[in-house]
Structures are given as C-alpha cells and as structure tokens.
Amino acid sequence: MPPREDATLRSAVDLAREAAEGIAERGTVGEHLEFVMDEERLATHYFACTAPAYPGWRWAITVARAPRAKKVTVCETNLVPGEGALLSPQWLPYAERLAPGDLGAGDVLPYIEQDPRLEQGFEATGDEDVDQMAQWELGLGRKRVLSAEGREEAAQRWYDGENGPSAPVAEQAPAPCSSCGFFVPMAGALRSFFGVCANAWSPSDGRVVSLDHGCGAHSEVDVERPEPAPHDEPIVDEFAYDALV
C-alpha cells in the first residue's frame, strides 16, 4: 500500500524551493508542480524548470524527517525529466552504434565472437551445397562461413533493397535479369535467387541482383524506333535576305 501522506513534509515547500534555488541558475526555478510521498517520512517536491535549455524538465527536491520529529531536512536535489522533456538519444555500445553504410576508410568493426550470421567452416550444415563450400573454404584457412541465418538475412536484405524486384527501375524494366545475357549466376545456395550484373551501362553493374530485378539495359530488348517519315521541300523566305549590290 502507498505510504501515508505526511503533512509536515507537504508543508516544507519553501524549504524545498530554497534548496532548488541553491543548485539552479538564478531565475530557473518555476512554480511548484506536485508533492509525492516516496516512503514513510520521505517525499519529493517538484518545481518547474524554466531554463530554455531544459524544456519539460523539473527540479526534484527530496525531503525527510526523523520519527516523531518536526524538523524537515533536505536529502537530495536533482534535475529530472518530466513528460515531454527533451532528452538525448539512448546510449548505445560502440558495437551497436554503427549502421550499414557508416564504415569508412580506416574504420574497423569490433570482433563478434558469437555472431549468429556465421558458423565454423568445418561444421556440417545438412545443406550439400553449403557443406561443399565450407570444406573448400576450410582449405583456404577461413575459420567461419555464412550460417543459414546469415544467408537468409543477406538474401532478404538484397531482395528488399534497390536491386530487388520492388525497386523503381525494376518495376519499369522491359524484362527481368534472369533472361539478360549480362546476368552472371551466383554459386552456392543463393544461385536460385541471385546473380551479379556485368553490364557497364546498367545502374546495377557489379552488384548482386535478384532474378526478377531488371533495368533498361537488358541485352535482349530494344527501344521502339519510329518509322522514317518523308519531309516536304524546304521553303526559303526570300524576303528575309538583303539584296547584295
């Protein structure tokens, strides 16, 4: 059950305001907002903060008294966020702070020992194509290769991205990449869905594209060429020329 309200602590508004003004910049302690009982003989007075840099924040002054005592003492003074307060973004560890595309020259990502997107290169996965790839990679010295989760995550990201079927250039393409001569199929488990574009004129050149992606640089399509039309004899406006003497 909530603590019983303490009339002595409630009446200590002036003491709480004096404590707030003792830590605040002059003129930034506003009106008294509320009184909250925290525990038995322990409560907090809240005052509005009028500083322009802290909209929505409140001064919180915690007061208390000893059993059977009438003297109120100040325990803590704080500036705390209220409803709608302007707050800084939530802190994130460095490993979670970077987003795809943020990595630049000289940057190094932290090592993730237990990365669900990777697995040991010598582990059997049950997928024949992947197992063959893992055994071949093991000879090259790679400790880890893509796991099933890693492949699915990459495939979904590529399919939903700008080189998938929903990209604006693909929606207006005359034919899909699967029938284009510049489409190079991928090896391994992803070959059923993706390949690489090898057309220098395509906006997807050198990128992974889905089979149902497409663009206007398809090898087997052509623009509609209008039939040549005869032209009338040119008409010369003789009055536009000055006579030469």
Side-chain angles (χ1 to χ4, degrees):
M1 59 183 298
R4 183 176 57 184
E5 183 169 316
D6 192 308
T8 303
L9 296 180
R10 173 178 280 278
S11 63
V13 177
D14 293 339
L15 175 65
R17 178 179 291 277
E18 182 181 354
E21 292 174 346
I23 64 168
E25 184 180 352
R26 178 176 297 182
T28 60
V29 180
E31 63 177 326
H32 184 266
L33 298 176
E34 64 175 327
F35 170 81
V36 177
M37 288 295 304
D38 301 316
E39 297 290 344
E40 193 73 21
R41 296 183 297 278
L42 181 69
T44 300
H45 288 274
Y46 292 93
F47 299 88
C49 177
T50 59
Y54 291 91
W57 286 67
R58 308 188 298 174
W59 299 105
I61 312 301
T62 302
V63 294
R65 69 179 182 88
R68 294 184 298 276
K70 294 298 183 180
K71 182 179 179 180
V72 177
T73 58
V74 176
C75 299
E76 291 184 353
T77 56
N78 296 289
L79 180 62
V80 297
E83 185 177 354
L86 179 63
L87 301 174
S88 60
Q90 184 179 2
W91 186 87
L92 289 175
Y94 175 74
E96 303 175 15
R97 200 174 302 171
L98 295 178
D102 289 346
L103 195 68
D107 294 335
V108 178
L109 291 178
Y111 178 78
I112 304 176
E113 184 175 1
Q114 300 296 332
D115 193 331
R117 300 170 299 174
L118 299 173
E119 62 186 9
Q120 298 298 323
F122 51 80
E123 289 184 357
T125 64
D127 188 323
E128 182 179 354
D129 291 330
V130 178
D131 287 343
Q132 291 178 357
M133 181 68 69
Q135 293 169 10
W136 181 72
E137 291 291 355
L138 183 62
L140 294 180
R142 289 208 304 171
K143 291 184 178 181
R144 298 187 291 179
V145 295
L146 273 177
S147 64
E149 182 177 344
R151 290 195 307 276
E152 292 175 4
E153 181 181 316
Q156 192 64 53
R157 183 174 64 252
W158 295 343
Y159 199 78
D160 295 339
E162 60 182 10
N163 293 314
S166 59
V169 67
E171 292 178 346
Q172 301 184 40
C177 292
S178 58
S179 59
C180 180
F182 295 104
F183 179 81
V184 181
M186 294 184 68
L190 296 177
R191 66 171 175 261
S192 300
F193 302 96
F194 300 99
V196 177
C197 176
N199 188 350
W201 293 100
S202 171
S204 302
D205 180 41
R207 301 181 180 180
V208 174
V209 294
S210 64
L211 272 71
D212 47 0
H213 182 66
C215 72
H218 195 284
S219 64
E220 308 307 318
V221 299
D222 195 6
V223 295
E224 294 183 4
R225 303 178 186 273
E227 293 292 332
H231 294 284
D232 296 331
E233 291 293 329
I235 300 176
V236 179
D237 185 1
E238 298 179 349
F239 294 99
Y241 296 92
D242 294 331
L244 298 177
V245 180

